[in-house]
């Protein structure tokens, strides 16, 4: 019997399920949601599927050549092209050409490579290229580079305030303000992501020019070798040593020769034209300007190619050396031949020194000996040995110098690229010219402008206050002479009275700090105890000028008589480069700087400091914008002792030069035909007077004619100016600080690269007491010699040089 179901009354409506509440509430009275609403989320972009392909490097080569070589002046190796082809084929797929994906990838790789100062040649095995591709791989989506992502790994977990606000809005279910904004399509990750954008320096310490000063010692300078095959400078991968193998000595000569040889080939006088107007054999001959004629092109002949060419005229480039028999010889990378200079003259006459150990140009005739005719190489030396016969030299010359801008491939105030050069090479470890030069120059102008506005005030009576970018140079400061300390005190007192903010940027104090070799076995300057007392006396003088110690950088460059090298040199020439004075003797001086800076507390963000550097050393100001070489050596005396004596010129040579038309002569402001710079009149700046006036300046309107200048200006040129020109031209044309035989001036073979003057620095300090003080500009390089602090023959007179950064120096004197 079926169960009785309860029958509900008809008056009650059937129960219907209530509609679901869209907002479930834990408190219906207030309408509070029981659960948090789902936050607004931005759907991540779907990653497009890319089908990898195998892209042959030969197919990618035209596009890579257009991007890297023509647009960015870079050279791709085969390994780098293979790496790029593999990367593009894997991440760009079949649309690498039609959609322009490969071109964008190559553009970003080229920019990133230049920002990393990778050099001109892009090597596929380098770690830089691998890091660039690895960074790029994580920022690609669908074959395209995602520029909106943050490519800086070190800041990937750090959110700025705007990002934190967007994150809070997202959690509350609100739309972020900047989530869907479109990034600038012109932004390159190679520039913005790597942190190379130009920003205004907000830190007060970065506003002072001294904050951008860096002292580069010879042992910290990158060691560069010129690769003849790649025509490019490369870092020496070997570890330097003070006692290397004998093969490193050959590397020193080979590198010097290759650098000068490639410099000559870049010179217009050694570039032959395809439409030459004459087939005459060129030779080093005099022209009206005592320079090489512009119509001639010269060709350098290797010494090994002289065999079988008896009586022919040639031009040789090689190292002037002395044979075991005592006669002169010239050597290059192919061989050596005996040299006869009995009838040779220098071009221009008396313009440079010629000593064994220099790489020179010789023009003359090859003469075979009768007994060696047909025998080839003399004795059994083989290829590269001494060639039989002799080379009769008629004209000698220094290899022409090359301006800094030409070497780096830049020109003009805005550093426009003129092609070629080594602008991407970082020779000092402070950044290359192409990568940092333009940026640093703009920063320099901005900082100097601000410093001038800070110094100048309406109440100031001096409309042109002293500049804070000056460099004060003192040479041959013998601390064992009390009068030298008195002269130093007077010089520091002059600069301590200048207004605040106008203190010189750097004081350079150069040795010898002892008159005789210390610790050399009973020398006149005593031992280590006396040597320590000399620097203690220097510290007491410096402590009297705390304002200078607080606002300037003092750089100390040692000489041959300073410790420790003088302990075994005994006053003779010690190997270059030599290290600075040990801290054992300079502790009191450092303490004086620490005490002066302690008086300021934490107010000044750029305190003064004392730097004891090597000899030679380099000052880098604003990166590659300014390079100042500091070198202490008795160069002039050594050149006079070891120079080769040449035949004097003919008495009627003067008449022959005057008979030539004046139109072929290019005169300088001084009217001297033997001027050290005939390329640009603006480069000639002679200042040898104590008050810094230019004694060689001639008014252009009242300048004499060519014939009158020959007879009037030559007797008026002082002997000191002639000797200074001769010294400067010799050193800069050689491009080497030690152009002597190793027996005369030893060199550490693995650190010989620090002695190169290539590219030419913007300024050079040659502290040579054996030469007169001078300030000379040659081929854009300003060379200064302060001479000794104590003027010889004038009691109570101190002398130094004041150099304005980017300008010229002047010799100053004072009475004490």
């Amino acid at each position: 019997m079926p169960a009785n179901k309860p029958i509900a009354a008809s008056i009650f409506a059937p129960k219907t399920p209530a509609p679901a509440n869209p907002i479930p509430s834990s408190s219906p009275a207030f309408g509070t949601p029981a659960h948090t609403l789902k936050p607004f989320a931005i759907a991540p972009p779907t990653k497009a599927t890319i089908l990898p392909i195998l892209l042959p490097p030969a197919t990618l080569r035209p596009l890579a050549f257009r991007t890297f070589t023509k647009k960015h002046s870079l050279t791709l190796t085969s390994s780098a092209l293979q790496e790029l082809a593999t990367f593009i084929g894997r991440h760009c797929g079949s649309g690498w050409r039609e959609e322009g994906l490969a071109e964008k990838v190559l553009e970003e790789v080229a920019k990133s490579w230049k920002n990393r100062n990778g050099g001109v040649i892009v090597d596929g095995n380098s770690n830089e290229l691998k890091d660039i591709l690895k960074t790029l791989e994580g920022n690609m989506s669908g074959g395209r580079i995602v520029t909106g992502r943050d490519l800086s790994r070190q800041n990937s977990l750090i959110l700025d305030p705007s990002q934190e606000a967007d994150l809070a809005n997202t959690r509350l279910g609100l739309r972020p303000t900047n989530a869907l904004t479109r990034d600038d399509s012109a932004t390159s990750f190679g520039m913005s992501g790597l942190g190379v954008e130009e920003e205004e320096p907000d830190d007060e310490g970065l506003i002072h020019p001294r904050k951008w000063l860096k002292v580069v010692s010879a042992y910290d300078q990158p060691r560069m070798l010129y690769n003849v095959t790649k025509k490019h400078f490369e870092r020496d991968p070997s570890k330097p040593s003070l006692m290397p193998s004998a093969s490193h000595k050959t590397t020193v000569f080979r590198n010097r020769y290759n650098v000068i040889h490639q410099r000559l080939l870049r010179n217009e006088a050694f570039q032959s034209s395809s439409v030459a107007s004459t087939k005459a054999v060129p030779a080093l001959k005099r022209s009206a300007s005592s320079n090489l004629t512009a119509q001639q092109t010269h060709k350098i002949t290797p010494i090994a190619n002289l065999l079988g060419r008896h009586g022919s005229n040639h031009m040789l480039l090689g190292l002037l050396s002395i044979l075991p028999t005592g006669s002169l010889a010239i050597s290059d990378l192919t061989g050596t031949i005996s040299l006869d200079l009995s009838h040779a003259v220098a071009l221009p006459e008396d313009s440079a020194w010629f000593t064994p150990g220099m790489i020179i140009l010789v023009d003359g005739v090859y003469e075979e000996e009768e007994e060696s005719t047909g025998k080839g190489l003399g004795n059994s030396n083989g290829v590269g040995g001494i060639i039989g016969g002799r080379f009769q030299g008629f004209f000698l010359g220094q290899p022409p110098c090359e301006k800094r801008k030409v070497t780096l491939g830049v020109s003009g105030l805005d550093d426009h690229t003129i092609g070629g050069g080594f602008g991407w090479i970082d020779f000092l470890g402070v950044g290359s010219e192409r990568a940092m030069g333009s940026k640093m120059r703009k920063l320099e102008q901005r900082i100097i402008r601000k410093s001038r506005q800070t110094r100048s005030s309406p109440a100031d009576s001096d409309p042109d206050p002293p500049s804070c970018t000056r460099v004060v140079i003192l040479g041959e400061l013998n601390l064992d002479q009390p009068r030298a300390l008195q002269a130093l005190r007077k010089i520091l007192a002059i600069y301590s009275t200048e207004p605040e903010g106008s203190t010189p940027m750097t004081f350079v104090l150069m040795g010898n700090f002892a008159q005789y070799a210390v610790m050399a076995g009973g020398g006149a300057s005593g031992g280590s105890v006396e040597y320590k007392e000399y620097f203690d006396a220097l510290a007491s003088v410096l402590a009297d000028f705390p304002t200078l110690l607080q606002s300037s950088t003092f750089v100390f460059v040692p000489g041959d008589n300073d410790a420790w090298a003088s302990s075994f040199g005994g006053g003779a020439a010690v190997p270059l480069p030599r290290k600075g004075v040990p801290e054992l003797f300079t502790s009191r001086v450092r303490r004086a700087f620490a005490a002066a800076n302690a008086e300021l507390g934490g107010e000044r963000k750029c305190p003064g400091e004392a730097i004891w550097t090597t000899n030679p050393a380099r000052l880098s100001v604003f990166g590659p914008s300014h390079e100042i070489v500091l070198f202490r050596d008795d160069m002039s005396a050594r050149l006079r002792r070891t120079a080769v004596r040449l035949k004097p010129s003919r008495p009627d040579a003067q008449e022959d030069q005057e008979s030539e038309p004046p139109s072929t002569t290019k005169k300088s402001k001084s009217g001297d035909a033997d001027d050290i710079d005939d390329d640009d009149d603006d480069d000639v700046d002679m200042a040898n007077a104590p008050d810094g006036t230019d004694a060689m300046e001639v008014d252009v309107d009242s300048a004499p004619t060519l014939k009158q200048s020959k007879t009037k200006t030559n007797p008026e040129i002082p002997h000191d100016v002639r000797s200074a020109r001769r010294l400067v031209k010799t050193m800069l044309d050689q491009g080497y600080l030690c152009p002597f035989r190793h027996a005369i001036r030893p060199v550490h073979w693995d650190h010989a690269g620090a002695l190169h003057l290539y590219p030419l620095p913007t300024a050079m300090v040659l502290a040579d007491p054996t030469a007169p003080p001078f300030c000379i500009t040659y081929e854009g390089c300003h060379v200064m010699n302060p001479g000794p602090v104590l003027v010889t023959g004038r009691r109570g007179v101190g002398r130094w040089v004041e150099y304005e950064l980017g300008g010229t120096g002047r010799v100053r004197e004072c009475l004490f």
Side-chain angles (χ1 to χ4, degrees), residues 200-201 207 445-454:
E200 188 80 12
I207 297 179
Q445 295 175 0
R446 187 162 58 244
I447 290 178
I448 293 179
R449 190 187 315 116
K450 287 186 177 181
S451 62
R452 288 177 179 174
Q453 294 175 359
T454 305

Side-chain angles (χ1 to χ4, degrees), residues 653-722:
Q654 186 93 1
E655 300 176 1
D656 294 342
Q657 295 181 22
E658 294 180 1
S659 62
E660 296 185 5
S663 60
T664 61
T665 304
K666 185 176 181 180
K667 299 298 294 178
S668 65
K669 295 180 180 180
S670 62
D672 182 20
D674 292 338
D675 202 323
I676 61 175
D677 188 7
D678 292 329
D679 295 336
D680 192 357
D681 290 342
D682 295 335
D683 282 340
V684 180
D685 185 10
M686 302 293 178
N688 68 314
D691 56 352
T693 58
D694 194 349
M696 302 301 298
E697 188 174 359
V698 177
D699 190 5
V700 178
D701 297 334
S702 60
T705 60
L706 175 66
K707 189 171 182 179
Q708 293 174 347
S709 63
K710 291 286 184 178
T711 58
K712 293 181 63 176
T713 58
N714 285 340
E716 297 177 358
I717 299 179
H719 178 268
D720 291 347
V721 176
R722 289 179 177 270

Side-chain angles (χ1 to χ4, degrees), residues 111-321:
K111 290 181 179 180
S112 300
W113 179 270
K114 292 166 65 175
N115 294 333
R116 291 171 178 254
N117 295 332
V120 180
I121 299 178
V122 182
D123 190 4
N125 299 325
S126 62
N127 296 328
E128 289 81 1
L129 182 60
K130 295 179 181 178
D131 293 341
I132 292 173
L133 295 180
K134 186 176 180 180
T135 305
L136 188 62
E137 183 178 4
N139 294 272
M140 294 195 66
S141 176
R144 290 177 171 82
I145 301 173
V146 182
T147 59
R149 300 182 185 180
D150 186 11
L151 301 181
S152 180
R153 297 185 177 183
Q154 59 184 359
N155 298 327
S156 59
L157 300 180
I158 302 176
L159 299 178
D160 57 5
S162 62
Q163 291 177 339
E164 292 180 355
D166 293 342
L167 183 60
N169 293 339
T170 302
R171 289 176 178 175
L172 293 178
L174 302 178
R175 182 179 297 271
T177 56
N178 298 328
L180 300 179
T181 56
R182 182 177 180 272
D183 293 332
D184 187 7
S185 60
T187 302
S188 171
F189 99 96
M191 297 298 292
S192 60
L194 297 180
V196 295
E197 297 184 45
E198 297 184 6
E199 297 179 356
E200 188 80 12
D202 298 332
D203 191 357
E204 295 180 0
L206 300 181
I207 297 179
H208 198 280
R210 196 163 54 85
K211 192 67 176 180
W212 303 94
L213 169 68
K214 181 180 180 181
V215 181
V216 183
S217 67
Y219 294 95
D220 296 336
Q221 185 175 339
R223 299 186 301 128
M224 295 291 182
L225 295 177
Y226 183 75
N227 191 324
V228 181
T229 304
K230 298 181 179 180
K231 294 180 173 55
H232 181 66
F233 283 92
E234 296 179 343
R235 287 179 178 263
D236 190 356
S238 63
K239 186 177 181 180
S241 173
L242 294 181
M243 300 184 65
S245 60
S247 62
H248 292 209
K249 182 179 181 180
T250 308
T251 305
V252 173
F253 161 69
R254 183 186 295 111
N255 190 45
R256 280 186 61 197
Y257 183 87
N258 289 334
V259 170
I260 293 182
H261 185 261
Q262 66 87 21
R263 192 181 74 190
L264 282 180
L265 297 182
R266 290 155 54 91
N267 193 294
E268 295 181 356
F270 291 85
Q271 295 177 357
S272 59
S273 175
S274 58
V275 287
S277 59
T278 177
K279 296 183 179 180
V281 179
L284 283 174
K285 297 181 180 179
R286 285 186 179 274
S287 65
S289 59
S290 296
N291 209 335
L292 302 180
T293 57
Q295 294 81 8
Q296 297 175 352
T297 58
H298 306 280
K299 182 179 179 180
I300 299 175
T301 304
I303 293 179
N305 292 4
L306 296 178
L307 291 175
R309 304 173 73 175
H310 173 72
S312 57
N313 187 283
H314 301 277
M315 182 182 296
L316 305 182
L317 174 69
L319 180 73
L320 186 62
S321 57

Side-chain angles (χ1 to χ4, degrees), residues 286 345 349 647-654 656:
R286 285 186 179 274
V345 294
E349 183 184 359
K647 175 186 176 182
S649 61
R650 298 180 289 112
D652 55 344
Q654 186 93 1
D656 294 342

Side-chain angles (χ1 to χ4, degrees), residues 614-626:
T614 59
N615 182 29
R618 300 179 190 245
L619 298 181
S620 173
V621 189
F622 295 104
S625 300
H626 300 280

